[in-house]
Amino acid sequence: MERDPVDSLLPELAEWAEKQAQPVQGNSNDAEILLRLLYEHVGLPELGELRPNDLEELLLEQFPAKVAVEEDEDLTEVLATLRELLTFAGDTGRIEPGQVDDLRRKVDEIEPRFAEVATAPPDTQPYDLRQELGLPDRLPPLRLPSDEELAAAARQSPLLDRARRLAVRTVACPIQAGALSTADAIAAAEALGFAVPDAVEGMADIPELERLWEWAAELEFIGPSTEIVEIGPSVDDWPDGDDQAVLDVWADALGLLLEEIFQDECADLDLEDVAYYAMVSLFLARSEGAPVAELRDMIRDIAVEETTSDGAWDNWVANCGDPAERLLAVLADLGAVTMDGDIARLTPLGQYTFGGALTDGGVEVPLLPPVEEMTAFDLVDFAKGATDEELDAETDAWFEARGAVAATDDLLTAAAEGEAEDRMIAVSIAGPHAATATQRWQEALDEPMLRPYAKVTLYQLNPSEELESTVADAARLLTDMLAAALDSVDPEELPDVLAETVPAGQEPAVFEEMWRLEHPDVREVLALIGDQHPDKKIAKAARKAGFKIAGE
């Protein structure tokens, strides 16, 4: 495995700093941040290849995007550290003296803009998942435990427990070049149960410990001192802080893991965003869960599409392991994921935290209110993302709280007022309870939007009752069915969809009735049939009916 170029350079930088006649400005933490941004995001393979334009990208693009900075934070030390890095590069022969002067002048030029850009609130999220994945503005609501229960789950995180124990275990240990001494690293690794190689020259030779050390520092379990290990403020917040403080620490940990889990060994493969894509897939799967194989294929497709290096994927997997399994293992260690065989599911804590992140990114993810406060539209929205078991449980509780008659009335009112998809869902929820509210279903016969559904439901309750379906009923049902799936209808399935509501040979008569309907989606539905139905006669009849709407 190739040695990390930043880890290789930092000891040399520290040794150079100790030999200077005057104390150097800046600090090793900022030096590591700047070097990692240069190598991993600006794309410089060697410090000697640094050019003035690279400094603009580093300070005005990558640093603001990748480093969290408070609005009032003093960033002069960051620039002082960068200037020392330039001096170091010149002293060690990596950069010619004249080039060092040019780079220093560029830093001076950028300095007035740097603090403003670095502390400005971002206009967009670093990963615009809503746009990238075509997510809607709003997703179905979640039913989640209370904040108290979520915080209790966050307090059980094995990963955060190890990060805290590492900080407490190493307090007052000396730090050199941003790392523990070899002896302290070995002792900490053994105490935490990490495998320790036979030959250890430094903390970098124990990758699990090094990774935990970096995360503990970024999560502020370890303080900012560059000389000895200090306890950071998160030690007070987790696990003994109040519920909100605990949830904040856990959320910070999830964000950090998603951002940094794949920023490591293989520079030829771009896995920077795949953790976020995987989380979106898990989030959208809700309680159904996502197969590990699907997550693996998705990650591979994204990574391979972004690289031009033959064999980069196979090399990465050979050196670093299966990325899906690696990601899921870390998420499970944090407490964000549970595994059931080959199915991965977000925990309620994972759903709560990532749902909040999506909301911050422009995708509304509402929480389902208490059952006593739920409306019919809340229940219909919940159905769009719930399993059958979850929907049954919410429906039973809601009917019990409101009473069968009032609950049915609310659902059918929502069905009449809502869009086609909402209407079909509302009717399907109310249908199984029809025997307890037959009067409301009888009244629905007088409502055009509900009449065909009421006929079907009442017939199921009493097959002897004469409720003959008409062409208008078939027209309305077909319009609703296709309107609810305008963006997802498979042309090959279109004949089967029509056959469910329209007897063979009666399509023109139904289309003739459809164009007369007061339905907001009828024009689009007729256009869909006219464009995509494989039977030319049926497609022509649909187009002919659509022309009549246009001519009105």
Side-chain angles (χ1 to χ4, degrees), residues 230-533:
E230 294 180 343
I231 293 295
S234 293
V235 168
D236 292 331
D237 291 336
W238 190 95
D240 298 325
D242 61 36
D243 289 346
Q244 190 56 58
V246 167
L247 290 172
D248 287 344
V249 171
W250 196 94
D252 288 344
L254 178 61
L256 176 66
L257 295 178
L258 294 179
E259 182 176 347
E260 297 194 354
I261 176 118
F262 292 126
Q263 290 183 7
D264 50 15
E265 298 86 346
C266 185
D268 293 331
L269 195 64
D270 185 0
L271 291 171
E272 182 177 4
D273 295 347
V274 296
Y276 285 88
Y277 283 83
M279 280 294 291
V280 169
S281 295
L282 287 165
F283 188 83
L284 295 179
R286 301 285 175 100
S287 298
E288 292 286 351
V292 176
E294 290 185 8
L295 294 174
R296 181 184 298 114
D297 290 344
M298 180 196 69
I299 291 173
R300 186 183 187 282
D301 290 345
I302 294 172
V304 170
E305 183 179 356
E306 295 293 331
T307 184
T308 58
S309 174
D310 293 338
W313 172 262
D314 294 335
N315 290 338
W316 200 97
V317 172
N319 289 329
C320 308
D322 180 271
E325 293 180 2
R326 177 172 168 181
L327 172 63
L328 292 171
V330 175
L331 291 174
D333 198 18
L334 178 64
V337 161
T338 59
M339 300 297 301
D340 181 9
D342 292 330
I343 300 296
R345 293 181 177 86
L346 284 184
T347 62
L349 184 57
Q351 292 183 21
Y352 167 80
T353 304
F354 197 70
L358 286 176
T359 297
D360 290 342
V363 181
E364 183 183 359
V365 186
L367 298 181
L368 201 61
V371 65
E372 298 81 7
E373 302 173 14
M374 281 171 54
T375 67
F377 280 108
D378 289 331
L379 187 59
V380 168
D381 269 351
F382 179 70
K384 297 172 185 176
T387 64
D388 291 342
E389 293 77 9
E390 290 169 337
L391 180 58
D392 288 344
E394 291 293 341
T395 299
D396 290 346
W398 191 69
F399 265 75
E400 182 177 352
R402 300 183 73 80
V405 174
T408 300
D409 180 61
D410 286 350
L411 281 168
L412 294 185
T413 300
E417 296 175 354
E419 298 179 355
E421 181 184 14
D422 294 339
R423 179 161 43 256
M424 295 179 71
I425 293 173
V427 168
S428 69
I429 294 173
H433 300 266
T436 59
T438 54
Q439 182 58 39
R440 180 63 182 90
W441 281 98
Q442 289 286 348
E443 294 169 358
L445 291 171
D446 297 326
E447 301 176 56
M449 286 290 190
L450 300 180
R451 185 180 299 121
Y453 299 100
K455 287 183 177 181
V456 172
T457 301
L458 291 171
Y459 176 79
Q460 290 172 343
L461 289 175
N462 183 9
S464 64
E465 186 172 355
E466 294 185 5
L467 293 169
E468 181 180 358
S469 293
T470 65
V471 174
D473 295 333
R476 192 168 293 280
L477 285 174
L478 177 61
T479 305
D480 270 359
M481 288 176 64
L482 291 178
L486 278 174
D487 297 329
S488 59
V489 174
D490 186 337
E492 294 181 358
E493 298 177 356
L494 195 54
D496 293 335
V497 175
L498 262 67
E500 290 183 30
T501 54
V502 181
Q506 295 189 22
E507 292 88 358
V510 171
F511 298 157
E512 182 68 18
E513 190 69 35
M514 283 174 66
W515 78 266
R516 303 175 190 275
L517 294 176
E518 292 184 5
H519 194 294
D521 301 310
V522 67
R523 185 193 301 269
E524 289 78 7
V525 169
L526 285 170
L528 172 70
I529 300 171
D531 291 341
Q532 299 191 17
H533 200 287

